[in-house]
């Protein structure tokens, strides 16, 4: 037998082993084109969201690449691979593993996930065996009837003095954390993850650097925070399909714990990376850009994801969500930031000027707001918050005059009071990383500023 014939027979044998190792498939077609992030296939009739397997030739023979149907045009299906596509040839076979009616992806849910770090497909990243759970569920659920949702009426203690006292958050509220790069948003998220009074914490690290994922889990979240947490990580180097799936999976896990009657803290870093992943997919399949390169589907996906958080039915559990929103060049009018601000229940803005001056957490109180705050606190507390903001704003507007000695004491009674109280107000707004400040303590410290 010649060497060429032997290699040919071995290749056929490997291909047969690949086919027999696959789950029973209903249809198969072939690839006709692969451009950029998208491959085109014919011979298949499948709904959007269906998983397929594409043959790939490698040094070890023929293996498989998982792909997902993201669109179609007539008889042409658009597939987006979930992994590297090197080795895929023109005319490669595409196998469908589902019937014509897609049931959606079924991923593990339940308390067995606590303490685990998983990727967007529920594969373990922590070196432990795959989680064994009694329940699997679809990534998508029916939205809660807004009239049946429990209103936001209970204060949530997040352990951060500036937020507890001046931007009070309620159980079931959805807040945005608006910040540029390098101003301390991950550290602030870690503080809330450690100190927030919640039964379960679900963390979605979407589109972040791989180094930041490990740093957040080991150094910021910590061992105590991790015990009651589920971390879903979809770093920047994975497919945009997996980045979007990671955000949805994290939300689905939070929904499952909420339906069990638990209070859940959902932290997603970041909502902007989720929007960017959808932009990559939409542009790749030909959707026209609308606002600064973002197609219309991006602005439809954002509220669909965010609205899944919040309180459940009356007397049920809750999901309090914090979404980080990256502001490119600290531009608060970025289209994603502007859209997120409209659909969230408040926003916390981090200031680069404060961060550069060593003021942490670098929360810009004047630019931040909690829309549910008035329903959660007493009128006396709210009046002190207003007074605090007025004094702080007056001092900031006249900071240059004060620093050069151009302001004459007695000219403005409000500014005189602001100058006298500013050291105490600045100390109130600052907090060390491993320092916790409860809701009652934050209120008492606020009282002391004005009582003195």
């Amino acid at each position: 037998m010649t060497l060429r014939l032997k290699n040919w027979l071995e290749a056929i044998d490997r291909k047969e082993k690949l086919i027999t190792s696959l789950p029973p498939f209903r249809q198969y077609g072939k690839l006709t084109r692969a451009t950029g992030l998208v491959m085109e296939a014919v011979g298949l009739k499948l709904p959007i969201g269906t998983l397929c397997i594409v043959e790939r030739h490698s040094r070890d023979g023929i293996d498989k690449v998982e792909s997902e149907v993201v669109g179609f045009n007539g008889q042409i299906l658009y597939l987006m691979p979930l992994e590297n596509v090197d080795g895929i040839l023109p005319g490669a076979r595409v196998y469908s593993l589902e019937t014509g009616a897609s049931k959606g992806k079924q991923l593990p849910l339940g308390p067995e996930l606590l303490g685990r770090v998983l990727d967007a497909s529920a594969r373990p990243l922590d070196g432990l065996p795959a989680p064994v759970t009694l329940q699997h569920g679809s990534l998508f659920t029916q939205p809660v009837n807004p009239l049946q949702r429990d209103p936001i009426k209970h204060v949530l203690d997040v352990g951060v003095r500036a937020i507890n006292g001046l931007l009070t958050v309620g159980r079931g509220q959805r807040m945005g954390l608006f910040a540029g790069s390098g101003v301390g948003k991950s550290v602030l998220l870690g503080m809330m993850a450690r100190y927030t009074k919640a039964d379960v914490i679900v963390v979605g690290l979407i589109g972040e650097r791989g180094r930041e994922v490990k740093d957040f889990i080991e150094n910021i979240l910590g061992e105590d925070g991790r015990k009651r947490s589920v971390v879903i990580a979809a770093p920047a180097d994975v497919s945009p399909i997996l980045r979007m799936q990671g955000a949805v999976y994290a939300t689905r896990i939070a929904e499952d714990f909420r339906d069990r009657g638990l209070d859940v803290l959902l932290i997603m870093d970041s909502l902007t990376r989720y929007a960017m992943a959808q932009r990559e997919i939409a542009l790749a399949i030909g959707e026209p850009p609308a606002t600064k390169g973002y197609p219309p589907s991006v602005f439809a996906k954002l509220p669909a994801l965010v609205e899944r958080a919040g309180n459940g039915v009356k007397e049920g559990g809750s999901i309090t969500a914090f979404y980080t929103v990256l502001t490119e060049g600290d531009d608060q009018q970025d289209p994603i930031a502007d859209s997120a601000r409209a659909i969230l229940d408040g926003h916390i803005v981090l200031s680069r000027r404060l961060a550069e001056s060593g003021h942490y957490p670098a929360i810009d109180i004047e630019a931040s707001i909690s829309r549910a705050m008035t329903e959660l606190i007493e009128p006396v507390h709210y009046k002190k918050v207003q007074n605090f903001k007025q004094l702080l704003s007056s001092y900031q507007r006249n900071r240059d005059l004060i620093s050069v000695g151009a302001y004459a004491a007695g000219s403005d009674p409000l500014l005189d009071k602001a100058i006298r109280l500013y050291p105490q107000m600045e100390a109130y707004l600052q907090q060390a990383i491993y320092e916790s400040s409860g809701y009652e303590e934050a209120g008492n410290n606020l009282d002391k500023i004005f009582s003195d």
Side-chain angles (χ1 to χ4, degrees):
M1 183 184 295
T2 64
L3 180 62
R4 183 176 180 184
L5 178 59
K6 183 180 179 181
N7 291 340
W8 180 71
L9 291 174
E10 288 177 353
I12 292 178
D13 183 57
R14 284 193 296 266
K15 186 171 184 178
E16 289 177 349
K17 287 181 180 178
L18 168 69
I19 295 173
T20 55
S21 68
L22 297 175
F25 55 87
R26 303 288 180 173
Q27 306 178 49
Y28 72 87
K30 65 177 183 178
L31 286 184
T32 59
R33 184 179 179 186
T35 306
L37 298 175
V38 174
M39 300 181 293
E40 298 179 6
V42 295
L44 293 165
K45 189 175 182 181
L46 299 170
I48 292 175
T50 305
L51 276 179
C52 297
I53 285 180
V54 182
E55 289 182 347
R56 173 174 61 183
H57 293 258
S58 65
R59 292 181 179 179
D60 299 325
I62 301 175
D63 59 6
K64 56 189 179 181
V65 174
E66 286 190 2
S67 302
E68 183 174 319
V69 179
V70 295
F72 58 86
N73 182 7
Q75 301 300 315
I76 300 175
L77 286 184
Y78 296 131
L79 309 178
M80 183 160 288
L82 305 185
E83 49 192 300
N84 185 21
V85 297
D86 290 350
I88 292 180
L89 297 174
R93 284 195 174 191
V94 182
Y95 299 95
S96 161
L97 303 182
E98 301 179 20
T99 61
S102 177
K103 298 179 181 178
K105 298 174 184 175
Q106 302 286 313
L107 293 179
L109 303 170
E112 296 84 359
L113 301 181
L114 288 174
R116 300 301 305 273
V117 182
L118 308 173
D119 70 3
S121 299
R123 290 187 290 259
L125 297 175
D126 49 14
L128 299 175
V132 179
T133 62
L134 301 177
Q135 180 187 354
H136 284 66
S138 171
L139 286 175
F140 298 96
T141 57
Q142 292 296 324
V144 179
N145 186 330
L147 297 182
Q148 294 179 351
R149 281 186 186 268
D150 205 20
I152 301 171
K153 55 187 178 184
H154 300 293
V155 172
L156 180 72
D157 186 351
V158 299
V160 180
R161 185 165 46 245
I163 298 177
N164 280 337
L166 303 174
L167 302 167
T168 310
V169 176
R171 293 192 183 277
Q173 193 168 347
R174 297 160 300 192
M175 294 287 287
L177 197 60
F178 291 70
S181 57
V183 294
K185 65 179 184 305
S186 296
V187 175
L188 180 57
L189 287 176
M191 291 173 66
M192 289 189 287
R194 284 194 301 271
Y195 306 134
T196 296
K197 306 298 183 183
D199 299 319
V200 175
I201 302 168
V202 180
V203 182
L205 301 176
I206 312 301
E208 295 297 320
R209 295 186 293 273
R211 181 194 63 80
E212 287 190 345
V213 172
K214 185 175 182 179
D215 182 65
F216 184 91
I217 294 169
E218 294 184 354
N219 301 326
I220 298 177
L221 186 60
E223 189 64 30
D224 293 337
R226 184 174 168 181
K227 289 179 182 178
R228 58 185 179 125
S229 304
V230 183
V231 180
I232 304 299
D237 58 346
V238 303
S239 164
I241 287 281
L242 291 178
R243 275 177 266 151
M244 291 194 64
Q245 183 173 306
V248 176
Y249 186 31
T251 305
R252 181 66 184 91
I253 293 173
E255 286 178 317
D256 177 63
F257 283 114
R258 178 186 65 188
D259 295 342
R260 297 172 188 266
L262 301 176
D263 292 319
V264 183
L265 174 66
L266 172 63
I267 294 175
M268 191 166 295
D269 187 13
S270 69
L271 193 63
T272 305
R273 304 295 188 200
Y274 172 82
M276 289 179 172
Q278 172 60 22
R279 177 174 65 177
E280 289 181 46
I281 296 170
L283 293 177
I285 62 176
E287 187 178 347
T291 307
K292 290 190 176 181
Y294 287 96
S297 63
V298 173
F299 302 100
K301 290 280 187 181
L302 286 176
L305 180 71
V306 170
E307 281 295 323
R308 294 174 63 173
N311 285 330
V313 295
K314 292 184 178 180
E315 307 304 327
S318 66
I319 301 175
T320 307
F322 284 88
Y323 300 93
T324 64
V325 181
L326 299 176
T327 50
E328 298 180 6
D330 298 322
D331 179 15
Q332 296 297 324
Q333 303 308 315
D334 176 82
I336 298 302
D338 200 40
S339 177
R341 194 181 296 109
I343 60 179
L344 293 170
D345 300 324
H347 49 272
I348 299 171
V349 179
L350 299 188
S351 166
R352 187 172 299 278
R353 176 184 60 81
L354 291 174
E356 290 173 348
S357 66
H359 183 291
Y360 290 103
I363 300 175
D364 187 345
I365 294 297
E366 296 177 73
S368 305
I369 191 171
S370 171
R371 294 178 179 174
M373 184 174 180
T374 54
E375 304 296 325
L376 298 170
I377 62 176
E378 298 294 332
V380 176
H381 184 178
Y382 186 63
K383 187 174 181 180
K384 291 176 182 176
V385 172
Q386 285 183 308
N387 196 4
F388 188 102
K389 287 189 172 184
Q390 288 172 353
L391 293 173
L392 186 64
S393 177
S394 177
Y395 185 91
Q396 297 294 357
R397 286 197 309 269
N398 296 278
R399 191 183 191 99
D400 292 339
L401 292 176
I402 298 169
S403 62
V404 299
Y407 173 72
S411 303
D412 184 349
L414 182 65
L415 184 55
D416 290 338
K417 186 177 181 181
I419 295 172
R420 179 169 55 87
L421 295 180
Y422 183 74
Q424 298 177 57
M425 292 192 294
E426 188 176 37
Y428 183 86
L429 294 175
Q430 297 188 57
Q431 185 174 332
I433 296 176
Y434 296 103
E435 175 192 354
S436 174
S437 179
Y439 174 71
E440 291 187 4
E441 180 186 348
N444 293 335
N445 290 341
L446 188 63
D447 293 338
K448 289 180 181 178
I449 292 176
F450 295 105
S451 63
D452 292 342

